[in-house]
Every structure is written in C-alpha cells, then in structure tokens.
Amino acid sequence: MEEEKRSKKIKVYVPEYAMKLIPNFIENRERDIKTIESSLEKEDFKTIERIGHSIKGSGATYGFEKLSEVGGVIEESARNKDIVKIKNSLEEMKNYLDNVEFVSDQQS
C-alpha cells in the first residue's frame, strides 16, 4: 500500500510564466533538504527554522501549496526543537518532490 502511494504522480498546475523556473526551484528545495539534514546533526534549529520559513513562503508562489504546508511544519517544529517531526516532514517533502509532475496551468 505504501509503495502505491509513493509511485502515484502528483500533478501540480504551474503558471506558464513559472514553468522555466521550476528546475531551479526544485534544485533549491533539494539543497534545502540537505542543509536541514546537516543542521539537524548539529541541532542548528535556527537554520532549520529559517529554511522552513523560506519553503513556506516560496511554495505557493509556484503552485506548490503542499510544500508551503510542509515548510510551515518544519518552521514550527524547529521552534519547538521537535527533531522527529522535522525528520517526518523531510521525508514527506522528499516523497512529494520525487512524485510531483509539473503541468502548465494553460494545459488544464
């Protein structure tokens, strides 16, 4: 059941003007994941909070409301120093990025 969930593509309708920006946006989110993982090892919650806030703000701009939601959870979890919740949110973010499919909103 869990495997089915991971393999199902998630369609996200992106504004036409933003389509060319998506690869860089995704690359930055993957970099954020690595930075958060490394910050967790150091218990650097300020950096994690800052990155979570950034993800929360930028996700919806590109049509990724789910990333905004996850970013908000990361931000709040960093404030509360909740390592388990941060790790769970990172896994959710990775799975989302692995399964998201970008479609121009003009094709909908």
Side-chain angles (χ1 to χ4, degrees), residues 25-36:
F25 176 80
I26 297 302
E27 202 174 289
N28 288 336
R29 298 307 63 83
E30 290 169 350
R31 192 174 312 119
D32 288 343
I33 289 169
K34 290 177 181 162
T35 302
I36 291 171

Side-chain angles (χ1 to χ4, degrees), residues 32-93:
D32 288 343
I33 289 169
K34 290 177 181 162
T35 302
I36 291 171
E37 288 172 337
S38 117
S39 296
L40 270 174
E41 291 174 16
K42 301 178 232 169
E43 295 188 8
D44 179 1
F45 294 104
K46 285 290 178 201
T47 296
I48 297 168
E49 183 180 349
R50 180 183 50 76
I51 293 170
H53 181 78
S54 173
I55 294 168
K56 180 177 79 174
S58 65
T61 302
Y62 291 92
F64 303 113
E65 284 80 12
K66 182 65 177 174
L67 283 182
S68 287
E69 177 186 313
V70 172
V73 172
I74 291 171
E75 178 183 21
E76 182 180 331
S77 300
R79 265 191 233 116
N80 296 326
K81 299 182 179 172
D82 188 337
I83 293 171
V84 172
K85 207 166 190 179
I86 294 167
K87 286 182 178 180
N88 289 340
S89 295
L90 282 178
E91 281 307 308
E92 187 176 357
M93 189 168 158

